[in-house]
Amino acid sequence: EELKVAHKLPDFLCDPIIDEKSAKKPHKRIGFDKMTKLFYAGKSDTIICWRTNRLARNAKEAGIIIDLVDNYGVKIINELG
């Protein structure tokens, strides 16, 4: 269902980054790591996500998201509203 939403987004956005595996421990989500590198490199400034409660799956990832929002000006858009 997430892919259906992603493909409705404008073409100027990057390709969808999707992690489907569980990740209770940090550094196990290739897509999350790819996404954060884009932000730290200044190549993107907005996260469009399906559900914000699934964006960070452990405390370390939550800290990274907070850092991106607080210190890099990253915006988060929840597709479900």
Side-chain angles (χ1 to χ4, degrees):
E1 205 167 333
E2 292 90 343
L3 280 176
K4 290 179 188 176
V5 171
H7 291 297
K8 292 179 185 178
L9 297 172
D11 291 337
F12 64 84
L13 299 173
C14 74
D15 291 332
I17 298 173
I18 297 172
D19 276 322
E20 295 177 349
K21 294 182 180 180
S22 176
K24 291 180 182 178
K25 295 183 180 180
H27 307 296
K28 299 290 183 184
R29 295 174 59 200
I30 295 168
F32 184 86
D33 294 340
K34 178 181 175 182
M35 177 189 72
T36 56
K37 286 178 185 175
L38 288 172
F39 294 115
Y40 286 125
K43 295 182 179 180
S44 188
D45 66 354
T46 305
I47 298 170
I48 301 174
C49 62
W50 178 248
R51 293 187 198 136
T52 53
N53 69 336
R54 300 305 299 149
L55 190 55
R57 297 186 188 169
N58 55 60
K60 177 131 179 130
E61 290 176 358
I64 291 169
I65 295 296
I66 292 168
D67 179 56
L68 289 169
V69 171
D70 287 350
N71 299 313
Y72 290 83
V74 171
K75 296 170 282 303
I76 299 174
I77 298 172
N78 180 5
E79 179 57 35
L80 292 179

